[in-house]
Amino acid sequence: MTRLPALAALLAMPAAACAQTAPETITSKGNPILADGRYYTTDPAPLVDGDTLYILTGRDEAEPEVNDFIMPEWQLLATKDPASRKWQHTPGFIRPENVFAWAEPARAYAGQIVKGADGRFYFYAPVLEKNSDAKDRFAIGVAVADRPTGPWKDAHPSGPIVSQKVPVANDIQNIDPTVLLDDDGRVYLYWGTFGRMLGMELERDMVTPKGPERKFEGLTGFFEAPWILKRKGTYYMLYAGNKAGPDSDCTPAVYHACQAYGTATSPFGPWTYRGVALKPVSSTTSHAGVVEFKGRWYMAYHTADAVGGGHFRRSVAIDQIEWDDSVSPARIRPVVPTRAPQPAPAPTRNIAGAASAVSSNVVPVQYWIAALNDGKVRANPLPPEMWGTWNGNNPKQPWVEYRWRKPVTIDGSRIQFFADQPAGSGIGVAPPAAWHLEYWDGGWKPVASASGYGTTPGAFQEVRFAPVTTRCLRAVFDASGNGPHAGVGVQEWEVLAPEARVPTAAPSVAVAGCA
């Protein structure tokens, strides 16, 4: 959902408010690198120069419940040793309007800095082109500097090197550039999003297009954010993959992305899908870059794990990559994300997080059953932040069920419904006409002395009942409408024990049912 007032306010900020902030030295506690919520960093692009690892990042500035990319500038992180957790952070590192006279301000999407054969540094930046009548005005410009920290100037002042009009017409959104300077000095540029990737060779000046734009196939589930690298003669293309479904090795829901990758023996392929390098993280988007630094390989990526973080308030993390050289081409071992130590969870009556969740329906790929008991509630949720039944042929009486490893004693429940249609509707997602709870005791039985079952969406509806001890609990819904029926959507479902306790970990494997 675009929030134009927020962007308009950003564009109207006085110049003094947009000035570059002086670099600061920080000591991170772990991942994400900047975690206190003062700055949100996103779309990392690592670069090595000498004894320093740099990470170019965007900057998210969306308000907490705004589902839009509000990204006015790029930032820079730098360290001599990632293990030291000491970083220099430069906010306001580059702003589009300060480098590209032909660019509009305030849309600073994922870019990359690459060192050229001439020893200078080239910044490939997707920005909005002013005074263009293209259907999509995102275009890729190139800036140049003598050092990674700048100062930067436009290397092609006449305009972008890629747009929907140059060097040839295309009809994709031209963002997420990644560049490879190959061992033989040839230069390759790749970019793309929404399931389409293009690439072309550049002249050795790092700027001038050489040869045609090419389309690429073979990268299963490609969505966006390509990242090219070469190791031991093999070309690796990492990307944000979206291959949704219950049996997917990549993503459980269409709004999620993993870091998938493919390999090739030449810069333009053909590409062969090889698997997943990083499973979905806490943000729905996934964007990563990989570099070798002082003999070790690292992946920089972003998550929603900082204080106040979210899908549009993301923060950069970094972890090591391990290679499996026992196979050819070498395999990237899936990265295991790390996180700074977190405070012990507070005692709670809610024990839903210790259960496995199942449902009566095959969950449509826009939803995610794991959202039922993830402990997260938003005022403006995205589809994978809820369980739902809407698929165009919605069931009359669906249910969701929690299964615990051992019997638990419970006496209450809270549920928050999601709806985009009013009560009584037979289309879309509407509050259920009614619902009730059942527990397993040799058969499914309704809980006794229920205090009432509210159906108002957007707020927790609590029901109290006589204590029961069970291993399985169901919420059964009567879908709205008389046929066809509306879908049912639940953002969070809590189950309450009589007394608060420190929550236990979620089961690592599915728990068997009670029937």
Side-chain angles (χ1 to χ4, degrees):
M1 180 184 296
T2 302
R3 191 191 186 200
L4 294 178
L7 180 57
L10 192 62
L11 295 173
M13 289 174 65
C18 297
Q20 178 171 325
T21 305
E24 60 176 357
T25 300
I26 61 117
T27 300
S28 175
K29 296 180 180 179
N31 283 326
I33 296 169
L34 297 180
D36 60 10
R38 292 182 304 123
Y39 296 92
Y40 295 105
T41 53
T42 185
D43 297 336
L47 163 72
V48 173
D49 184 45
D51 66 351
T52 303
L53 169 63
Y54 298 92
I55 304 178
L56 174 76
T57 87
R59 180 172 179 179
D60 279 347
E61 290 195 351
E63 295 297 321
E65 291 297 334
V66 172
N67 291 341
D68 187 22
F69 298 107
I70 310 299
M71 303 173 65
E73 65 188 25
W74 292 278
Q75 305 175 87
L76 191 67
L77 294 165
T79 185
K80 304 288 186 183
D81 179 11
S84 73
R85 297 182 179 172
K86 295 184 183 299
W87 295 84
Q88 184 181 71
H89 169 228
T90 306
F93 172 58
I94 310 174
R95 299 180 68 90
E97 65 274 21
N98 293 343
V99 176
F100 304 108
W102 49 268
E104 288 190 1
R107 287 290 187 179
Y109 277 25
Q112 184 181 1
I113 298 172
V114 177
K115 190 173 185 177
D118 60 0
R120 306 179 80 193
F121 295 86
Y122 294 83
F123 173 39
Y124 299 83
V127 296
L128 281 178
E129 185 180 8
K130 290 191 296 188
N131 305 320
S132 170
D133 60 358
K135 183 177 181 181
D136 187 289
R137 293 186 295 117
F138 264 108
I140 297 171
V142 185
V144 64
D146 291 330
R147 57 189 62 86
T149 53
W152 295 89
K153 66 178 182 179
D154 195 341
H156 193 253
S158 61
I161 65 167
V162 172
S163 73
Q164 286 194 337
K165 297 197 169 188
V166 298
V168 295
N170 71 44
D171 61 354
I172 76 167
Q173 187 173 78
N174 295 284
I175 63 171
D176 292 356
T178 183
V179 174
L180 174 71
L181 176 61
D182 210 347
D183 302 330
D184 59 4
R186 297 174 72 175
V187 184
Y188 301 92
L189 168 68
Y190 312 80
W191 70 96
T193 186
F194 295 117
R196 300 170 68 188
M197 187 174 80
L198 299 178
M200 67 182 180
E201 187 174 355
L202 300 178
E203 297 285 359
R204 298 195 182 203
D205 64 4
M206 307 288 290
V207 174
T208 306
K210 176 184 179 180
E213 293 184 359
R214 301 169 182 250
K215 298 179 181 179
F216 295 100
E217 307 292 339
L219 298 173
T220 303
F222 174 84
F223 181 66
E224 63 182 1
W227 181 272
I228 184 72
L229 65 96
K230 186 178 183 180
R231 179 180 182 267
K232 295 185 177 181
T234 297
Y235 298 86
Y236 290 80
M237 185 71 75
L238 286 90
Y239 56 94
N242 182 275
K243 189 176 63 170
D247 299 322
S248 172
D249 65 342
C250 178
T251 49
V254 292
Y255 277 72
H256 288 273
C258 71
Q259 278 296 310
Y261 73 103
T263 63
T265 56
S266 70
F268 285 143
W271 294 96
T272 301
Y273 176 75
R274 296 298 181 187
V276 173
L278 177 69
K279 292 183 177 180
V281 292
S282 52
S283 58
T284 49
T285 59
S286 183
H287 197 113
V290 173
V291 292
E292 184 180 17
F293 180 56
K294 297 182 178 179
R296 298 179 183 271
W297 287 84
Y298 293 90
M299 175 185 285
Y301 57 97
H302 64 221
T303 72
D305 292 339
V307 174
H311 304 306
F312 300 89
R313 293 156 68 89
R314 300 156 295 176
S315 298
V316 169
I318 186 168
D319 280 302
Q320 285 193 42
I321 276 185
E322 300 292 340
W323 297 87
D324 180 3
D325 285 306
S326 69
V327 296
S328 181
R331 182 175 67 93
I332 300 175
R333 299 186 191 276
V335 172
V336 178
T338 63
R339 191 174 177 188
Q342 300 297 300
T348 177
R349 291 179 61 205
N350 178 26
I351 62 171
S356 284
V358 297
S359 67
S360 58
N361 65 311
V362 175
V363 181
V365 293
Q366 70 266 35
Y367 302 120
W368 194 26
I369 195 167
L372 275 176
N373 57 346
D374 64 1
K376 299 176 183 178
V377 176
R378 291 186 59 200
N380 191 16
L382 297 174
E385 295 172 307
M386 66 191 77
W387 163 85
T389 65
W390 189 91
N391 63 6
N393 184 23
N394 308 316
K396 179 179 180 180
Q397 194 176 60
W399 50 260
V400 289
E401 178 183 331
Y402 283 148
R403 301 170 178 176
W404 289 270
R405 297 186 190 95
K406 298 179 180 179
V408 294
T409 300
I410 54 178
D411 64 355
S413 183
R414 302 199 320 155
I415 197 165
Q416 183 162 143
F417 293 107
F418 168 83
D420 58 21
Q421 297 293 326
S425 175
I427 62 173
V429 179
W435 68 285
H436 67 276
L437 293 170
E438 298 177 351
Y439 70 101
W440 181 262
D441 183 17
W444 290 103
K445 300 179 180 179
V447 298
S449 304
S451 60
Y453 292 101
T455 59
T456 302
F460 272 114
Q461 305 300 306
E462 184 168 354
V463 55
R464 300 179 300 278
F465 49 85
V468 297
T469 299
T470 187
R471 203 172 62 76
C472 299
L473 184 72
R474 275 185 182 177
V476 182
F477 310 104
D478 296 326
S480 176
N482 295 318
H485 299 285
V488 177
V490 175
Q491 188 178 168
E492 191 73 14
W493 177 29
E494 298 182 351
V495 178
L496 308 177
E499 296 181 355
R501 66 185 73 176
V502 174
T504 57
S508 57
V509 295
V511 177
C514 292

